[in-house]
Amino acid sequence: MATIDILCVIDTNGLMQKGLSPGTLQAPTSLGSYSDSDTFVFMICDGQYASTDQGKSELAVNAVTGDTLRWTITDPSTGLLTDQTAHSYSCILYNFASAGPGTGTITEPALVTQPAVMYYNSADNQPSAAAYMCSAWTSSVLDVGTVQYSWSFQVIDCVSGSVVGYYSWDPFINITAG
């Protein structure tokens, strides 16, 4: 059975410039339906699992019973600090919710935090490793169907470490026979 990685990329600079209500942990601001949330949320997975166009706030995935779905979240500027006045944000995914048709198609996602390694370039083009902790949400595919769900996320200012907003969007995922 396969592990299908779903990367959620959030345009936090655009989101912060939009001036939406920052919401709260318990009541995040909704980014609206796909035509609105497509402005800020871009979901991608390995091409062999995508059954629709990638890079939008809703992603259809080809999976089979027994596969694992693994969601992670990032922002294009995450951690890129050039000086103490530049804005760089980080995102934390939380609060998966699903109701109605599709309930029982996947298990409730569980948070898994594990060590990871990323390589970065140097002036002499020799790769250097950097270890860090990675958070991912994993879920098992139980049955074929469409799951309407929502994710919430926190936006953290990387300079101050302060949470500057809480937001949510409601994608769906199509589980096919593969």
Side-chain angles (χ1 to χ4, degrees), residues 71-122:
W71 290 269
T72 54
I73 190 167
T74 193
D75 173 271
S77 70
T78 293
L80 298 176
L81 300 175
T82 55
D83 60 43
Q84 292 300 306
T85 61
H87 283 289
S88 176
Y89 300 101
S90 184
C91 298
I92 297 174
L93 201 57
Y94 75 102
N95 198 29
F96 175 92
S98 177
T103 302
T105 305
I106 63 173
T107 61
E108 182 79 17
L111 178 62
V112 177
T113 302
Q114 58 192 41
V117 175
M118 179 177 281
Y119 286 84
Y120 60 94
N121 204 355
S122 62

Side-chain angles (χ1 to χ4, degrees), residues 68-71 96 107-113 135-140 151:
T68 298
L69 303 172
R70 182 168 52 195
W71 290 269
F96 175 92
T107 61
E108 182 79 17
L111 178 62
V112 177
T113 302
S135 295
W137 290 86
T138 61
S139 176
S140 296
W151 274 117

Side-chain angles (χ1 to χ4, degrees), residues 51-65:
S51 64
T52 60
D53 293 334
Q54 297 199 65
K56 297 184 179 185
S57 61
E58 296 183 356
L59 178 66
V61 173
N62 291 320
V64 296
T65 302

